[in-house]
Amino acid sequence: MCGIAVSVGPEADPAVFRRMLAVQAPRGEVTEVRYETGLLVGTRRLRVVDRDRAVQPWTSADERWLLCYNGEVFNHRELRAELMRHGHVFRTDGDTEVVLAAFERWGEDAVARLRGEYAFVVVERATGRAYLARDPLGVKPLYWTRKPGCLHLASEVKALVGYGVPIGEVPPGHHGWADADGHLRLRPHVDLLALGDGPPPIDDPDEAALLVRASVHDSIRARVDTDLTVGVVLSGGLDSSIVLRHVRETHPDCVAVTVGVPDSPDVAYARRLAADLGVPHEVVELRPRDIRLADIREAIRMSELTEYGDIINAVVSVPLFRRLRELGVKVALTGDGSDELFGGYRMYHEVGPASAQRLFLHRITNLGRTELQRVDRTSMGHGVETRVPFLDLSVVELAMRLPLSLKKRDGRDKWILRRAFADVLPDYVLRRPKNPMSYSSGLHERARLYKPFFARLHRSFGYHLLDPVRRDFDTVLTRCGNDLDRAIAQGQARPDYTVLEHARDLVGAARWNAAPMVRRLVGPRRTRGDEAPLPG
């Protein structure tokens, strides 16, 4: 994993380029650059695969092409073997070299062979033409901006805001070319909206459970193929528990990390599961009063997010990944994406099947600028490479073939996921109801106190050059009765918040934060024997 920076064109400025790369310093351990006339390329590399030899920027043997790459391709060994059969001679054991070799062999079709989480730029040195590509779900980011005589590309928005001009994004699942004059022509290499349309739906519960279990297990197996210690972000909920169970089985050198208020559900469930599995467990204990405006500001600066729910989760994520970095962990897995795929949101079940499918697709196609953006920035902001096994393309395609009736049944969300892993997870995990990360950690309401400042902070960092401040879409959707068209229209008509809404938020948050204090003043005192029991 890396932070990448590329400046292509006759006006490429080394001083500006160095600032672009310096802003992304937390994403890696070493700075590697190449300066040529009209071409400045560099990475801030986190050394994970073939740590000593997989240097960047990577140049082809004939020196025609130059690669700047962020991410991991998990099937690089299989691709390496195939390319060797075609006569390619490799100089390293890393996936970086494989990506460029695949591009040399198959051109633009190579991206269809990559199983991974990536964003990269391949530059033809003689002409300055650049090929750009981003993974199907948008796990890894890639942004661009253009000034006269130069095209700039980077892994984070903050590296490009200094130009004061609009910033563009390479959309998830897109690839294409940028000419020497900076004109981009991008198109999808994966159509998420059509994924799963070909094969017939899977409506048999037994078959579906077997397929879900096999695909998730294989996805996790591919993501722990490393000699490094693997961290697991553990909330004690269904998704992260599945991940921890499989990581413990396939890569015993692992550690679980949880963040939350000491007596929160997340901490209680996570402690119990980690103990049951015999996995080392780190708990980052926070109390609501520990979260201050400076923490909110740092979460927004780091995450580049605009919507309320995502920022709240970023506030909770920052101390968690900070702890992983302190532990020396550079690779971590999360359970993100499972709710979107397997019916973890109530809205899927409050509308008809057709509307539910549209909501499902909307959430999947927007993950790159919401949940996955939070995961990338808060983890890489601390030099931790985070992998998301539930969003392997094979798992996504399978989930799209499952009817809603297998995702919600007998009053339980993610029913098929619970059934698929019923024999390997304890009952207390299987029975635990869904609760959003920030709520179950016990830290949500404190962060909510600062909501009126979110928009102003977002603009202060210049992030509106990419994306204007947005109303929290989940809130708008709820107010619109889960009518997607109406919610999108309302969000576009009034993207920002009014002064009255900010005042109402502040009053509501103050009331919520005052309630525990009132309860402590009027309620009975807790004695030493009254500690809250563990779940189950």
Side-chain angles (χ1 to χ4, degrees), residues 1-5 21 24-33 42-58 67-72 92 94-97 155 330 380 383-385:
M1 290 288 181
C2 302
I4 68 176
L21 200 53
Q24 301 176 89
R27 296 183 70 93
E29 303 160 283
V30 294
T31 298
E32 298 168 340
V33 297
T43 67
R44 181 68 179 168
R45 183 165 65 96
L46 185 65
R47 294 180 289 192
V48 174
V49 181
D50 199 355
R51 294 183 281 277
D52 295 326
R53 296 186 298 167
V55 298
Q56 291 199 47
W58 186 262
L67 169 69
C68 207
Y69 165 54
N70 170 33
E72 298 289 345
T92 72
D95 59 330
T96 298
E97 184 178 8
S155 297
K330 293 198 287 188
M380 291 301 290
V384 178
E385 174 187 313

Side-chain angles (χ1 to χ4, degrees), residues 238-472:
L238 178 65
D239 312 320
S240 62
S241 297
I242 289 171
V243 173
L244 181 63
R245 174 67 175 74
H246 282 75
V247 171
R248 176 67 180 85
E249 177 183 311
T250 56
H251 193 85
D253 183 11
C254 62
V255 59
V257 180
T258 305
V259 62
V261 172
D263 58 353
S264 67
D266 276 7
V267 171
Y269 277 92
R271 284 191 191 279
R272 183 174 181 184
L273 181 67
D276 286 350
L277 295 178
V279 174
H281 187 211
E282 292 282 328
V283 177
V284 181
E285 291 190 348
L286 295 175
R287 289 171 173 77
R289 65 175 178 270
D290 296 330
I291 296 178
R292 302 180 182 276
L293 181 59
D295 301 298
I296 303 293
R297 186 181 189 279
E298 175 62 7
I300 294 175
R301 184 203 66 79
M302 184 179 290
S303 67
E304 306 174 346
L305 290 163
T306 172
E307 294 189 40
Y308 165 64
D310 299 315
I311 292 173
I312 295 292
N313 284 343
V315 172
V316 176
S317 299
V318 167
L320 189 150
F321 287 112
R322 183 186 300 129
R323 184 60 182 141
L324 279 169
R325 180 188 64 188
E326 292 168 352
L327 293 170
V329 174
K330 293 198 287 188
V331 174
L333 273 65
T334 79
D336 290 281
S338 175
D339 287 326
E340 286 75 10
L341 293 178
F342 295 105
Y345 292 104
R346 186 184 303 171
M347 64 179 181
Y348 289 163
H349 315 294
E350 294 179 342
V351 296
S355 296
Q357 181 67 6
R358 289 193 64 215
L359 289 170
F360 169 78
L361 293 173
H362 179 84
R363 290 202 73 99
I364 292 296
T365 54
N366 278 275
L367 277 172
R369 66 165 190 83
T370 56
E371 195 75 0
L372 292 177
Q373 182 169 320
R374 170 189 63 82
V375 171
D376 173 78
R377 303 302 193 283
T378 56
S379 61
M380 291 301 290
H382 294 95
V384 178
E385 174 187 313
T386 305
R387 302 172 178 181
V388 282
F390 281 107
L391 293 178
D392 192 278
L393 202 58
S394 64
V395 181
V396 176
E397 183 174 9
L398 174 60
M400 288 186 168
R401 295 175 59 196
L402 302 179
L404 192 62
S405 60
L406 290 183
K407 298 177 181 181
K408 174 81 170 185
R409 181 176 288 197
D410 302 331
R412 303 306 301 270
D413 59 19
K414 294 187 282 193
W415 181 85
I416 192 62
L417 204 58
R418 297 176 195 275
R419 174 162 179 164
F421 297 97
D423 63 327
V424 297
L425 291 178
D427 284 344
Y428 60 85
V429 170
L430 294 168
R431 293 195 308 266
R432 186 184 177 187
K434 162 68 183 170
N435 213 342
M437 172 185 176
S438 53
Y439 285 84
S440 53
S441 70
L443 299 170
H444 170 271
E445 292 302 342
R446 175 68 176 189
R448 178 184 172 187
L449 183 64
Y450 301 102
K451 183 182 176 184
F453 302 102
F454 287 5
R456 187 172 70 187
L457 288 169
H458 182 270
R459 282 191 291 267
S460 74
F461 294 117
Y463 298 153
H464 60 286
L465 294 171
L466 169 73
D467 203 6
V469 172
R470 296 172 182 259
R471 289 170 175 270
D472 188 58

Side-chain angles (χ1 to χ4, degrees), residues 129-271:
R129 288 195 313 148
Y131 172 75
L132 322 176
R134 189 177 178 192
D135 67 70
L137 276 297
V139 180
K140 292 291 105 185
L142 187 58
Y143 302 96
W144 60 272
T145 194
R146 188 168 48 226
K147 293 281 284 184
C150 195
L151 173 69
H152 306 280
L153 301 121
S155 297
E156 297 193 6
V157 178
K158 59 178 67 70
L160 301 173
V161 295
Y163 299 106
V165 296
I167 296 170
E169 178 181 16
V170 176
H174 279 62
H175 69 152
W177 290 88
D179 294 332
D181 63 1
H183 180 67
L184 275 71
R185 297 187 305 276
L186 303 175
R187 66 188 188 282
H189 61 83
V190 169
D191 184 359
L192 284 180
L193 299 181
L195 203 63
D197 282 354
I202 304 168
D203 51 16
D204 178 74
D206 293 331
E207 179 187 7
L210 287 172
L211 290 172
V212 167
R213 181 161 171 166
S215 65
V216 172
H217 176 80
D218 181 64
S219 179
I220 294 172
R221 176 201 56 77
R223 284 163 173 78
V224 296
D225 182 13
T226 177
D227 61 346
L228 298 172
T229 300
V230 171
V232 176
V233 176
L234 179 66
S235 69
L238 178 65
D239 312 320
S240 62
S241 297
I242 289 171
V243 173
L244 181 63
R245 174 67 175 74
H246 282 75
V247 171
R248 176 67 180 85
E249 177 183 311
T250 56
H251 193 85
D253 183 11
C254 62
V255 59
V257 180
T258 305
V259 62
V261 172
D263 58 353
S264 67
D266 276 7
V267 171
Y269 277 92
R271 284 191 191 279

